[in-house]
Amino acid sequence: MNRRNILLSSVALAAAMASPLTQATEQPIRLIVPYAPGGPLDVTSRALAERVRDSLGTVIVENKPGAGGNIGVDAIAKAAPDGKTIGLAATATHGVNPWLYKKLPFDAAKDFAPITQMVRVPNVLVMNTERAKELNINSVADLVAYAKSHPGKLSYGSGGNGSSGHLAGEMFKQGLGFTAVHIPYRGANPAQLALLAREVDFNIDNLAAASANIKSGKLKALAVTTAAESPLLPGVPALSKSIPGFAIDTWWGLVAPAGTPAAVIDKLNKAFTEALKDPETQKRFATLMAEPVPTTAKQFGDFMAAERAKYEPVVKASGASVD
């Protein structure tokens, strides 16, 4: 057998012995983002897709918004468990929606294989700066004192009943024993516009959305909702100083359909966590006020389970429900 035939035979043998994982990554991976293009979840997903090109090949981001993220997440759950389709799990889809929606086409606890958490974005308690000056509110204590001495006079906005801003507001009120009227809007952006227009007095919004107006001075940041102060907003205290144990972040991460082989999950985890640790990724995410959070698959699975347990009583106490 000549040298050329030996070489061709070796290549054929290597191809025949290639693992299913290797074969799967030869085709593009579809990464489903269950929200519209342009937002932080979409932008961070596209940034990571570029970072893992060398290790995983082409990753195509596909947006499937609608029904509070449920349409896209359902598509992930029902995809073939071969590593060719993965997608985002987020606070709403895997923490809140299981209790908010009376019927879901998927089981958030059973129909997904966790890969890794991607990011954590602090939520921030903000007031319209002019309104805060009028009421002489400069801190959480000032806000609570005013609310208690003027029952029912303050209001807060959110992106809708059962949204993270709504639930965080309910936990804030319950934790410090005051009342404020909840005004739901059709999305987080309209809620922020309402705050800027002084239709409501305060919001609890994610920092990625509120940061520009905080920097411009239009909004006054009173506290972050992370367990400790956030390096993304230095000098602003954590709400946990007023309510021990209070911690609500906006987060998202990567999941695959349940039944995806462990070897595939391991390879995906390795590629994406390495990308999240890359200094360029961290620099890019910092501009979005998003903190990369690479984890093991098990850590992310345990985290999502803990989030579901945290939000169950909050959603039920709020009375929010979607048919």
Side-chain angles (χ1 to χ4, degrees):
M1 185 179 290
N2 60 37
R3 184 182 178 193
R4 181 175 180 274
N5 287 338
I6 291 174
L7 179 60
L8 291 174
S9 297
S10 299
V11 171
L13 179 61
M17 295 179 65
S19 68
L21 176 60
T22 301
Q23 293 173 4
T25 56
E26 289 174 354
Q27 298 182 19
I29 294 173
R30 182 172 61 142
L31 196 168
I32 295 176
V33 175
Y35 298 96
L41 286 82
D42 177 64
V43 174
T44 53
S45 296
R46 293 180 187 277
L48 276 190
E50 288 298 319
R51 286 286 165 191
V52 299
R53 185 179 296 273
D54 290 343
S55 54
L56 296 178
T58 301
V59 177
I60 299 171
V61 176
E62 179 179 338
N63 298 90
K64 281 185 172 293
N70 293 335
I71 291 175
V73 169
D74 187 44
I76 301 167
K78 291 179 170 53
D82 56 10
K84 298 177 185 178
T85 298
I86 61 175
L88 290 192
T91 312
T93 61
H94 283 68
V96 175
N97 288 359
W99 318 116
L100 180 63
Y101 286 78
K102 292 182 178 179
K103 292 182 180 180
L104 285 177
F106 57 84
D107 187 326
K110 297 179 180 179
D111 290 347
F112 304 90
I115 298 171
T116 179
Q117 186 173 346
M118 278 175 57
V119 300
R120 172 172 56 226
V121 178
N123 291 326
V124 57
L125 170 64
V126 287
M127 285 193 72
N128 180 294
T129 300
E130 292 181 357
R131 180 66 168 156
K133 287 181 179 178
E134 287 179 6
L135 302 181
N136 196 29
I137 294 176
N138 295 298
S139 65
V140 172
D142 291 341
L143 174 62
V144 174
Y146 182 90
K148 288 183 176 180
S149 61
H150 300 81
K153 294 295 184 181
L154 291 183
S155 63
Y156 76 99
S158 80
N161 287 318
S163 67
S164 59
H166 174 206
L167 300 178
E170 293 302 305
M171 293 174 70
F172 177 38
K173 293 190 301 179
Q174 292 170 13
L176 291 174
F178 70 95
T179 61
V181 179
H182 171 234
I183 309 295
Y185 291 86
R186 292 180 177 271
N189 286 338
Q192 184 170 169
L193 290 174
L195 182 61
L196 292 170
R198 301 178 59 169
E199 293 177 12
V200 294
D201 298 301
F202 68 90
N203 285 0
I204 295 181
D205 203 352
N206 73 74
L207 184 55
S211 61
N213 286 313
I214 293 172
K215 289 178 180 178
S216 70
K218 295 178 182 178
L219 295 180
K220 182 179 183 64
L222 298 181
V224 291
T225 64
T226 42
E229 291 186 19
S230 172
L232 297 173
L233 203 59
V236 177
L239 199 51
S240 60
K241 288 187 176 181
S242 302
I243 309 173
F246 192 100
I248 295 181
D249 303 325
T250 296
W251 56 265
W252 55 95
L254 293 166
V255 294
T260 301
V264 175
I265 295 295
D266 289 344
K267 184 175 179 71
L268 291 169
N269 176 272
K270 183 175 186 296
F272 281 108
T273 54
E274 287 179 354
L276 288 166
K277 295 173 185 177
D278 186 276
E280 286 301 315
T281 301
Q282 296 183 355
K283 183 178 178 180
R284 175 76 183 277
F285 283 17
T287 65
L288 300 169
M289 299 294 167
E291 177 189 351
V293 186
T295 66
T296 66
K298 183 180 185 304
Q299 285 172 335
F300 187 39
D302 291 344
F303 172 76
M304 288 192 289
E307 288 289 284
R308 284 192 294 276
K310 177 172 72 178
Y311 280 111
E312 180 181 10
V314 179
V315 173
K316 291 179 178 178
S318 74
S321 179
V322 178
D323 292 330

